[in-house]
Amino acid sequence: MKLIKGGTVVGPTGAIPGDVLVVGEKISAVFAPGEGPQEGDFEVVDATGKYVIPGGVDAHTHMELPFGGTFASDTFDTGTKAAAFGGTTTIIDFAVQRTGEVVQDGLAAWHAKAAGNCHVDYAFHQILGGVDDESLKAMDQLVTDEGITSFKLFMAYPGVFYSDDGQILRAMQKARDNGAMIMMHAENGPAIDVLVKQALERGETDPIHHGRTRPEALEAEATSRAIWLASVAADCPLYIVHLSAGKALEQVAAARDLGRNVFAETCPQYLYLTLEDQLGAPGFEGAKWVCSTPLRSKHETHRADLWKGLRSNDLSVVSTDHCPFCFKDQKELGIGDFSKIPNGIGGVEHRVDLLYQGVVDGKLSLARWVETIATTPARMFGLFPRKGVIAPGSDADIVLYDPSARTRISVETHHMNMDHSAWEGYEIDGKVDTVISRGTVIVSGDTYHGRAGHGQFVRRGLSDYLL
Amino acid sequence: MKLIKGGTVVGPTGAIPGDVLVVGEKISAVFAPGEGPQEGDFEVVDATGKYVIPGGVDAHTHMELPFGGTFASDTFDTGTKAAAFGGTTTIIDFAVQRTGEVVQDGLAAWHAKAAGNCHVDYAFHQILGGVDDESLKAMDQLVTDEGITSFKLFMAYPGVFYSDDGQILRAMQKARDNGAMIMMHAENGPAIDVLVKQALERGETDPIHHGRTRPEALEAEATSRAIWLASVAADCPLYIVHLSAGKALEQVAAARDLGRNVFAETCPQYLYLTLEDQLGAPGFEGAKWVCSTPLRSKHETHRADLWKGLRSNDLSVVSTDHCPFCFKDQKELGIGDFSKIPNGIGGVEHRVDLLYQGVVDGKLSLARWVETIATTPARMFGLFPRKGVIAPGSDADIVLYDPSARTRISVETHHMNMDHSAWEGYEIDGKVDTVISRGTVIVSGDTYHGRAGHGQFVRRGLSDYLL
Amino acid sequence: MKLIKGGTVVGPTGAIPGDVLVVGEKISAVFAPGEGPQEGDFEVVDATGKYVIPGGVDAHTHMELPFGGTFASDTFDTGTKAAAFGGTTTIIDFAVQRTGEVVQDGLAAWHAKAAGNCHVDYAFHQILGGVDDESLKAMDQLVTDEGITSFKLFMAYPGVFYSDDGQILRAMQKARDNGAMIMMHAENGPAIDVLVKQALERGETDPIHHGRTRPEALEAEATSRAIWLASVAADCPLYIVHLSAGKALEQVAAARDLGRNVFAETCPQYLYLTLEDQLGAPGFEGAKWVCSTPLRSKHETHRADLWKGLRSNDLSVVSTDHCPFCFKDQKELGIGDFSKIPNGIGGVEHRVDLLYQGVVDGKLSLARWVETIATTPARMFGLFPRKGVIAPGSDADIVLYDPSARTRISVETHHMNMDHSAWEGYEIDGKVDTVISRGTVIVSGDTYHGRAGHGQFVRRGLSDYLL
Amino acid sequence: MKLIKGGTVVGPTGAIPGDVLVVGEKISAVFAPGEGPQEGDFEVVDATGKYVIPGGVDAHTHMELPFGGTFASDTFDTGTKAAAFGGTTTIIDFAVQRTGEVVQDGLAAWHAKAAGNCHVDYAFHQILGGVDDESLKAMDQLVTDEGITSFKLFMAYPGVFYSDDGQILRAMQKARDNGAMIMMHAENGPAIDVLVKQALERGETDPIHHGRTRPEALEAEATSRAIWLASVAADCPLYIVHLSAGKALEQVAAARDLGRNVFAETCPQYLYLTLEDQLGAPGFEGAKWVCSTPLRSKHETHRADLWKGLRSNDLSVVSTDHCPFCFKDQKELGIGDFSKIPNGIGGVEHRVDLLYQGVVDGKLSLARWVETIATTPARMFGLFPRKGVIAPGSDADIVLYDPSARTRISVETHHMNMDHSAWEGYEIDGKVDTVISRGTVIVSGDTYHGRAGHGQFVRRGLSDYLL
Ligand SMILES: [Zn+2]
Ligand SMILES: [Zn+2]
Ligand SMILES: [Zn+2]
Ligand SMILES: [Zn+2]
Ligand SMILES: [Zn+2]
Ligand SMILES: [Zn+2]
Ligand SMILES: [Zn+2]
Ligand SMILES: [Zn+2]
């Protein structure tokens, strides 16, 4: 039994002073300041001067993902430990079905990777790499039996994960029936492949051409198309992943104005980093920031647009799309050919901090900070009320955040299995102070108390955002 | 001390089982089911099978308002008692400054009407009927000293409350500086007056012509204009009152997509009632539903648009614009001339019920129900966290709502001082069961335990919705 | 030499009284009334009470098109004769390259079909059924050497004419370079095929299901996608064929508001006929109106939207998409399976009349009538000033249109090679009176004076609508 | 009798070689090259290498306008002579009714100013400075009897020309009935007056503050409002004058997408000049460019937006809003107080040239050049077919434009009665070579052959743009 005392409890409606009683793995009560138990068999956690927030929920990670002939460099062990250090107490990773494989086999493989290795709780989305009669049936089974209620499709990567519009429509119809969420990587892959080939033929092989060959128009187009297809599927719930571009956001906003079941996430990299400054770094350096959708031009309004979208709730969630690759041997696969650089940025450890910086900078309210990093992802993906809120009965996943301390991000200090940091040198005017996962303090200052295997698989229900 | 036990606590993020401990006038704690105090000096309120929700906050009422040579028929006494019966535990009424009057005198007059007479807590917005150097100074004083942080202007009613665009701009600039909210009655009054005069000259005197002479275009236009003017005032916070029309909603949605500080409310009458079926009732009957903005045509999509706006948060709040007039002697002032019918519908008692019906009908989630009737109005107008949430430290304004009981609305049973009901015969699949105001049970079933004078004036802070 | 005397010359800027002198195959002069030659060696054609308009230019016909195992029932002989009767003196038909074929071979085949058989002048667009390195090279050759300056691609018909988005992008880039126009059949074929298969599996085999399985959303989506892809190709000129749906029009209008090189045509069938009344005719009767894009629902606003688009120039052209099939043996191929019904409606004979009816009905001005049926198609496809205007130096393709006569459309009287009429019983308040093709009167009242072989192939230049 | 021979006749559909025969004041015929009369009693005007275009129609001038205690410096004599030099052969000036005056008296006063003094033909719009029962009746009389079919209202200048929204609505209803066009100066005057007063109070007295106190938002707002009001008046035809801002254009474009009778003009100053470079010139120099609506910021996209609008026909007309004031004594009235600077720029002489430069710069096609400066203004304001086209029967108002010559604009050489030029030093890659007004050559190279009194008043019909 623990009493978290003297802090300011922040939730999606605002901040109130309050004391939180934890009994076992659960929150037992929230008290007005000082009105909790005065004495007894409990430990007091002093939260004076701290924000007491629900543990972060990162709805988009890829531990150990096979990609481009290599694997994402974080295992479920290293990646979830890094998440813990960063104040994220739940991740939703992606189990993968490739074309020709049985969906359930893919899920089983990912369970095998994760089981016993996670430091914080985890759940799975299911990637469908091949929509056919069998995988459509599997969708029902995963929703009903496996606690997997969201399915990701790709409009990009022809020949790898790509689904054509007929396949997408069929999966959407199935989701409309069983209540699942369709998650979409919205980029026009066949058109991008033409641009990539042409760039390489012109000798444009540097990392920046990864971005130049994935223009905003092809993200906006695919976003728009996904929204139209979902309308044909009777307004199937649709969630656009890693939205990066202003005009893609316009598509989402227009759909939401019509009352459509359309949602989107963005990621910290799109809120801060740019085509020119990072992806265009001299030599092959830019490879560190090769991810898809790509970083966008600083000469356009993307970053301001995305912060605005977070405020207006046209962007509902901030995830990391954590998909780390080391520079040495991994990113380097693409020397001389940007299209061979493994796509991904590692960031599971920094999301809570980077978004808090938005609060400091006046771009986001405290309430929206908590909502976008914890409450909404939990509600979006059927984890509420177990995750995402400080509320009696919820899992005691709690972070004490210290607005008077300071974080400096560096490869020297981070806990992700990467030989560089995409955020090297970034400073945050705040710090994750204490992290509690299901009632256990796993991080305290810079000290780690957790362990692989503490994290459990969480079955999810349907999204809370559907009527 | 009271323990509200066994219920389902509903807030803007969803519903959880939980027990609520009330100590004095405040909520002391929220417990996971059964984890509250087991015995001791407290009363148990059995909430089994009930929703436990924050008391409703009605951000738009007009008790005793002088209008068209008569007065709104509810006093602060009768009106707040009716509010209590309907599950509303806070109202924000409008103090009035008329052209040529001193703002503070108007406020004092309204304090005089309300003080000692209210059954539930109350606050004031300030109507500015004449923007000039003096009243602009008064705005600062009211924000700083009086707990009045929102000011209502009228683009309608030339010669009565009307402000011209220059006056509006000046008030918006002042609000931009002191953080206050500008509330706008957005209808183009000068154009409406032309249409009214022409209709009367054609002998079109029936109540339905009240609606026909206030076309959607003139609400949409004024809404758009207010939004443009607010942009000139550096994005001054703007709140559109009683939005009734689809095209007005489009203006608000477009501004919100741009990240603007633009908000809007609608009212139950616009969600359910129509130009043809109510305002167009045979003979003079339609006078019951003469209000401005008017009821809209059922042959257009307004009602569906408004429900959609509530879901998408382009409409943030549901208020009543409670402004009751008796049919006899009051509404009858307009026999033979619809323009003389006092404008207003009484509904302070029915808002919580009518919106709950939207939940039953699948038009709104439980969470959005609570958010639109309580949490958001409290946050919008600086009453959070004292009002609008079930949270430790908040005022113990709590409603137990029974989803298995049933409400039939009728003049026979309502508590407003009106000789008819705008909602006669409407049935709701739910019922306000118990109402607690600042820790005191004031309604229990159909029994009243409250009293005039229990309600206190609440000073408000600035809106929570600004960065 | 002929003097067309006493008529009202109508062009895209309006109507003026004037006399037109024809010398040989060309217009030699236009005179103010009575100021032409008084006597000499010329024939006077009395145009008193008639509109003197440029011969119609039908930019979208399919004579002898192979489709679904059969052939469009009009040959270049029968079809161009019918065109002549209807006041159309130029058609632009489509040469076809199928996947795997050489583009120039397709063009040669169509030249072979048409040469010596046409009654009026003709030109060709080129259908690209397979975009690859060879066909991209062929595009240049056709523009440079063959007078073929427009290329049609299909987003529908996977496995037949379908191009994927990568192929479309490549063709657009080529067109951007050589100045050609990309014409697009904008429907999402892969998604439609899913809906068709599902409908047939449900036993929905009647013609109306042809329309129900091609919903507006999938036309709007493809239209939007084509516009996005053209933007990636540096604003390649894009022309949407047979636009039928309100939301597709919205996409075009939005692009045009941005100043984009985006154009669209509609067809008479979309302006008058509907899903319910024609395609939904009892039994198999609806097969007569199976065409793609399909007729749209009368319960939606499509027809009014399209007339509006013609007025506002968001729709620039009216073509017929003339693609006739007999009911007997041809349309009947789809008894029991709507997907086997050959797609197409015959109408090359009726376009000028049907659009004139829009003038009578107050939906179009006289000037826009001429502009949409003659001037703009000529300018759009590089036929100006030879075709599309009454101007000195232009081909003497002239129609005398009689606004006081009347046309009744029927299979009994039409000249197309069809055993039914899609317009049976339609009456027009006007009539094609006299048709002159390159100086020769080929139709006079109901008498035919033309002949196969009179019509010549016309090489086209680039579109006039590009800067 | 004159034969204009060897030129390229340019009209709104394009350019064709052709010879034009003028008989008396009219065009008698247009011939294919060389097919006109070979010999006889006529003069040959050699147009080889020249564009032969209809004389310009400037639909917005203010000769001798009283404004701010002074008068526009061009009389009808000096101003129309300057117009002639610039290739403009028709102006439409504004007769003025001030509040309290009789409309017909205002018209008579303007007739008195113009009669016998004009060098080219002229017509009048009527300014309504006071809409009331009398002036509404006068609207009918002017349309029926006086050939005045357009009425200008002001949303700016409270206390001078300003009409409130009720007055505007009444005038629009009247125009809807009698077919007249409502022209609107669309700026929110009451709001602007607040900004002006505040700026002056802050000591911001320089000319640039004229622009800063008339922000884009207040032009866009008024434009939007005028469009809404016109919709209430059953889609009364509406013409926005001197549109200068991108967001105002968006309002017009949106209305046109809906098929509304909404039109707009812009002026050369908005296409080329800017807030910073001209209005912000050092010291009091910027006073030369004080006009309303004001020049806009070069850091925004206004100029590109306006050129785009001209191409897309969302802007239909280019007028000058010619309203010249000398710097000395006139503009200088506003030294120390920008609000006292007479509003206006003189440019009647340069419109045809400045727009031709747009053709040279690739911003406009030849056809759109002629359409926007001549054909459309003539059709818009009921002058077609007498003016605006090279067509048999039309007035022989013809300009020979030399694309190989060059024009340098300067106060040294211009013919307007101004002591400076707003376009000093601008060079045009083309030149007005010969100007013919109703059959008489009035300008030939730099030589003037015209005379005051040649120009006649032209009664106008209703706009051609209405169905
Ligand atoms: Zn929105
Ligand atoms: Zn990912
Ligand atoms: Zn009110
Ligand atoms: Zn097609
Ligand atoms: Zn448009
Ligand atoms: Zn076709
Ligand atoms: Zn003006
Ligand atoms: Zn003017």
Side-chain angles (χ1 to χ4, degrees), chain C residues 13 28 30 32 35 257 308 379, chain D residues 13 28 32 35 257 308 379:
Chain C
T13 52
S28 170
V30 185
E35 305 202 2
D257 287 354
K308 179 201 74 183
R379 297 181 69 200
Chain D
T13 52
S28 170
E35 306 203 359
D257 287 352
K308 180 201 74 183
R379 298 180 68 198

Side-chain angles (χ1 to χ4, degrees), chain B residues 120-453:
Chain B
V120 298
D121 287 357
Y122 63 99
F124 290 127
H125 311 287
Q126 179 72 44
I127 285 174
L128 296 180
V131 174
D132 56 19
D133 290 351
E134 285 312 301
S135 52
L136 290 170
K137 262 182 239 158
M139 287 176 71
D140 281 339
Q141 196 262 327
L142 265 60
V143 168
T144 310
D145 302 337
E146 305 290 348
I148 309 285
T149 58
S150 43
F151 298 87
K152 185 177 176 189
L153 301 171
F154 290 79
M155 302 170 96
Y157 306 131
V160 186
F161 292 125
Y162 178 78
S163 290
D164 70 30
D165 293 347
Q167 293 175 304
I168 290 170
L169 179 57
R170 293 184 73 195
M172 285 177 163
Q173 291 172 323
K174 174 58 76 182
R176 170 77 289 184
D177 287 344
N178 66 24
M181 178 74 74
I182 293 296
M183 306 173 77
M184 190 62 74
H185 180 131
E187 287 189 301
N188 188 317
I192 286 171
D193 283 5
V194 165
L195 297 179
V196 168
K197 186 159 176 291
Q198 292 173 338
L200 292 174
E201 285 170 2
R202 286 191 300 264
E204 299 169 351
T205 60
D206 284 347
I208 197 170
H209 296 291
H210 171 77
R212 296 206 190 289
T213 55
R214 307 183 89 88
E216 173 181 34
L218 294 178
E219 181 183 356
E221 183 283 310
T223 303
S224 166
R225 179 155 37 110
I227 291 169
W228 281 114
L229 290 168
S231 81
V232 176
D235 200 20
C236 153
L238 173 66
Y239 178 95
I240 305 294
V241 298
H242 50 56
L243 190 148
S244 73
K247 289 189 199 309
L249 179 58
E250 284 178 15
Q251 311 301 315
V252 169
R256 293 175 63 80
D257 287 352
L258 294 173
R260 296 278 311 279
N261 282 324
V262 173
F263 310 94
E265 70 176 17
T266 191
C267 309
Q269 49 270 36
Y270 307 116
L271 292 165
Y272 286 101
L273 311 180
T274 66
L275 179 81
E276 292 84 2
D277 289 336
Q278 277 78 28
L279 195 54
F284 190 66
E285 178 87 2
K288 295 176 180 172
W289 295 281
V290 164
C291 58
S292 298
T293 57
L295 302 184
R296 298 293 173 192
S297 173
K298 68 178 176 184
H299 302 303
E300 297 162 347
T301 59
H302 305 288
R303 289 176 295 175
D305 291 342
L306 297 177
W307 283 109
K308 179 203 73 181
L310 286 176
R311 285 192 295 273
S312 70
N313 202 31
D314 285 326
L315 295 172
S316 304
V317 168
V318 179
S319 303
T320 58
D321 196 9
H322 177 76
C323 193
F325 294 99
C326 286
F327 195 80
K328 181 85 187 125
D329 294 341
Q330 293 198 305
K331 290 288 187 182
E332 286 176 358
L333 291 168
I335 292 179
D337 178 352
F338 68 82
S339 75
K340 298 216 158 58
I341 302 169
N343 281 212
I345 286 180
V348 74
E349 189 167 350
H350 306 311
R351 185 180 61 114
V352 171
D353 281 327
L354 287 164
L355 268 288
Y356 180 72
Q357 189 62 37
V359 178
V360 176
D361 297 345
K363 292 174 174 162
L364 216 58
S365 69
L366 262 182
R368 275 299 282 168
W369 170 49
V370 170
E371 197 164 30
T372 56
I373 63 167
T375 313
T376 300
R379 296 180 69 198
M380 185 68 68
F381 292 111
L383 290 167
F384 178 89
R386 190 162 159 195
K387 305 292 187 188
V389 282
I390 303 279
S394 296
D395 280 358
D397 289 358
I398 299 172
V399 171
L400 274 57
Y401 199 84
D402 185 350
S404 65
R406 212 170 154 77
T407 303
R408 190 174 184 287
I409 302 178
S410 170
V411 65
E412 307 299 329
T413 47
H414 75 201
H415 303 84
M416 302 178 290
N417 183 34
M418 293 174 69
D419 62 0
H420 67 280
S421 171
W423 300 93
E424 187 68 38
Y426 267 73
E427 306 214 356
I428 310 296
D429 295 307
K431 188 177 194 317
V432 172
D433 180 86
T434 303
V435 179
I436 299 170
S437 168
R438 295 203 328 281
T440 302
V441 174
I442 60 176
V443 175
S444 175
D446 299 326
T447 312
Y448 195 65
H449 308 284
R451 62 175 176 84

